[in-house]
């Protein structure tokens, strides 16, 4: 295929970015993955992602908004010397089968080069943000830990094009590509390419190839799509769940073609958690409609949710136990885990209004 490179774009001969190749079977070399844990940090629902990077190029999907987004701060004391992200919304993606093609020179890429590099003056990526894919080049294998605020999942699909995306998954029992995308007509039959040994290789057996949490991969989107995974979480605002004198509703939907079992996990975000309650609405001829709050502990807990049939949804009314609030504001995280091996993280903020 033809490689398109703007004439006025300077080349960086020190590095060759991963390119797209087709055909041969995948290497058995393990690609990078993400380990996720709660990190008690004051000031908001914060989560830590631990990235296991190989020497060379790594394709990752960052799901947290870094506390300090300045690239030198994100990659401090690490061997990461190049970070690049692609925004397909503003320019079309051009694939290449030429291993010498430096894809970072094409339109749509923003790149940061570490200050010790002679090409660092070419950097045009000034911040590292969450809910975005990145190509990271590491001079040595390492574990890179990034702490950041949790945001609602927000994969923005460019129609009729390849998209570089990633998702939160169970690190021990993730779904296969076929299982994950079975409920989406825009992606179920699409080609997928993942980074293996520094080059992009087609996933030849999506029925058996397991996904990896936080791994970024290229997948084609046929037409329009707002697919966020087998389970979709909906809240009143994009910023997550906000509770005060009034409650809020969490709606989860099964986007797959088969039943899902899920549980809701309360993760303490700043050491105190939130005194939450799940609201049950009782309807009857004698009582009319009556609300009953089922109190939950301030600490960590998890509850099983009603089974979700294919295409089904459940609404979960949440409230703040105001009498148990010991501070003006508190934060925590909810994680919806499914038996398919997916995770959906949601920030929760509570305000005492008195």
């Amino acid at each position: 295929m033809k490689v398109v490179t703007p004439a006025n774009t300077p080349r960086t001969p020190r590095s060759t970015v991963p390119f797209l190749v087709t055909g041969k079977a995948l290497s058995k070399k393990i690609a990078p993955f993400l380990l996720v844990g709660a990190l008690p940090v004051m000031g908001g629902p914060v989560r830590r992602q631990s990235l296991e990077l190989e020497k060379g190029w790594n394709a990752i999907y960052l799901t947290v908004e870094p506390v300090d987004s300045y690239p030198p701060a994100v990659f401090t004391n690490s061997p990461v010397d190049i970070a690049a992200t692609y925004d397909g919304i503003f320019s079309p993606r051009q694939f290449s089968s030429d291993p010498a093609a430096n894809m970072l020179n094409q339109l749509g890429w923003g790149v940061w080069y570490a200050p010790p590099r002679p090409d660092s003056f070419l950097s045009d990526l000034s911040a590292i943000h969450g809910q975005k894919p990145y190509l990271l080049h590491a001079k040595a294998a390492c574990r890179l830990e990034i702490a950041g605020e949790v945001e609602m999942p927000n994969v923005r699909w460019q129609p009729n094009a390849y998209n570089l995306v990633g998702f939160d998954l169970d690190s021990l029992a993730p779904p296969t590509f076929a299982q994950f995308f079975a409920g989406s007509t825009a992606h179920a039959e699409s080609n997928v390419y993942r980074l293996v040994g520094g080059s992009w290789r087609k996933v030849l057996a999506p029925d058996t190839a397991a996904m990896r949490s936080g791994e970024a991969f290229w997948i084609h989107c046929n037409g329009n799509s707002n697919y966020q995974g087998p389970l979709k979480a909906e809240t009143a605002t994009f910023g997550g769940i906000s509770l005060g004198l009034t409650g809020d509703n969490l709606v989860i939907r099964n986007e797959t073609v088969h039943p899902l079992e899920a549980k809701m996990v309360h993760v303490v975000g700043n050491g105190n958690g939130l005194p939450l309650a799940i609201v049950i609405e009782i309807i009857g001829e004698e009582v009319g409609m009556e609300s009953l709050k089922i109190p939950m502990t301030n600490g960590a807990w998890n509850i099983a949710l009603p089974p979700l049939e294919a295409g089904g949804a459940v609404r979960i009314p949440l409230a703040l136990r105001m009498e148990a609030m010991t501070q003006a504001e508190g934060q925590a995280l909810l994680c919806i885990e499914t038996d398919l091996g997916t995770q959906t993280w949601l920030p929760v903020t509570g305000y005492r209004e008195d």
Side-chain angles (χ1 to χ4, degrees):
M1 299 181 186
K2 185 178 180 180
V3 179
V4 179
T5 304
N8 61 347
T9 304
R11 289 193 174 274
T12 53
R14 289 286 303 273
S15 64
T16 301
V17 77
F19 58 97
L20 179 75
V21 296
T22 60
K24 299 180 180 179
L26 296 178
S27 165
K28 294 183 179 180
K29 188 175 182 180
I30 299 176
F33 59 92
L34 299 178
L35 300 176
V36 183
L39 178 68
V41 175
M42 296 301 293
V46 174
R47 180 180 167 209
R48 179 179 59 203
Q49 288 191 330
S50 182
L51 289 73
E52 297 290 342
L53 304 182
E54 296 180 346
K55 180 179 180 180
W57 287 103
N58 301 264
I60 67 100
Y61 194 85
L62 189 62
T63 58
V64 300
E65 180 68 19
V67 174
D68 187 343
S69 63
Y70 186 47
V74 174
F75 303 117
T76 186
N77 299 322
S78 80
V80 174
D81 62 346
I82 304 176
T85 189
Y86 176 77
D87 196 337
I89 292 177
F90 299 108
S91 65
R93 169 67 176 152
Q94 296 289 334
F95 288 133
S96 171
S97 58
D98 178 4
N102 191 335
M103 303 304 288
L104 301 189
N105 288 334
Q106 296 194 39
L107 290 175
W109 285 96
V111 190
W112 171 80
Y113 300 98
R117 293 178 58 95
D119 49 6
S120 62
F121 70 95
L122 297 175
S123 297
D124 58 3
L125 181 63
S126 59
I128 304 297
H129 293 297
Q131 298 300 328
K132 290 181 69 68
Y134 290 90
L135 294 179
L136 302 183
H137 184 272
K139 295 181 291 185
C142 70
R143 172 176 291 182
L144 177 68
E145 294 189 347
I146 300 178
E149 295 183 1
V150 171
E151 298 179 329
M152 295 282 289
N154 184 31
V155 175
R156 297 178 297 170
W157 296 98
Q158 183 182 8
N160 304 315
Y162 277 93
N163 292 254
L164 188 58
V165 298
F167 300 91
D168 272 321
L169 305 167
D170 186 329
S171 60
L172 298 178
T176 66
F177 285 97
Q179 289 173 327
F180 189 89
F181 289 106
S184 172
T185 56
H187 311 93
E189 303 298 328
S190 295
N191 291 330
V192 180
Y193 293 85
R194 73 188 331 168
L195 190 61
V196 180
S199 62
W200 296 102
R201 297 182 182 272
K202 185 177 179 180
V203 175
L204 299 178
D207 290 335
T208 57
M211 300 174 67
R212 285 185 276 267
S213 184
E215 175 190 19
F217 52 88
W218 289 103
I219 183 170
H220 195 268
C221 180
N222 299 307
N224 295 317
S225 175
N226 63 357
Y227 189 71
Q228 302 297 317
L231 183 138
K232 183 179 181 181
E234 300 174 352
T235 57
T237 64
F238 181 74
I241 299 170
S242 181
L243 302 172
L245 289 177
T246 59
D248 199 355
N249 292 320
L250 169 63
V251 177
I252 58 173
R253 299 184 184 278
N254 182 354
E255 302 278 88
T256 69
V257 294
H258 51 74
L260 274 181
E261 292 186 5
K263 67 178 179 179
M264 182 165 59
V265 181
H266 178 243
V267 181
V268 176
N270 62 2
N272 297 319
L274 278 174
L276 299 178
I278 296 177
V279 180
I280 296 177
E281 295 178 347
I282 304 172
I283 302 174
E285 293 182 0
E286 295 183 1
V287 299
M289 178 177 290
E290 183 177 308
S291 295
L292 177 65
K293 292 184 179 180
I294 306 299
M296 309 300 293
T297 177
N298 291 25
W301 50 261
N302 70 82
I303 60 170
L305 299 176
L308 284 169
E309 296 299 322
V314 61
R315 181 170 64 91
I316 308 169
L318 296 170
L320 191 66
R321 292 189 288 114
M322 199 67 66
E323 72 282 359
M325 282 287 289
T326 58
Q327 53 191 357
E329 180 180 335
Q331 296 84 21
L333 299 173
L334 290 178
C335 181
I336 310 299
E337 301 178 354
T338 72
D339 59 345
L340 190 60
T342 67
Q343 296 180 343
T344 303
W345 289 79
L346 307 166
V348 186
T349 304
Y351 303 93
R352 192 177 73 182
E353 302 177 13
D354 53 16

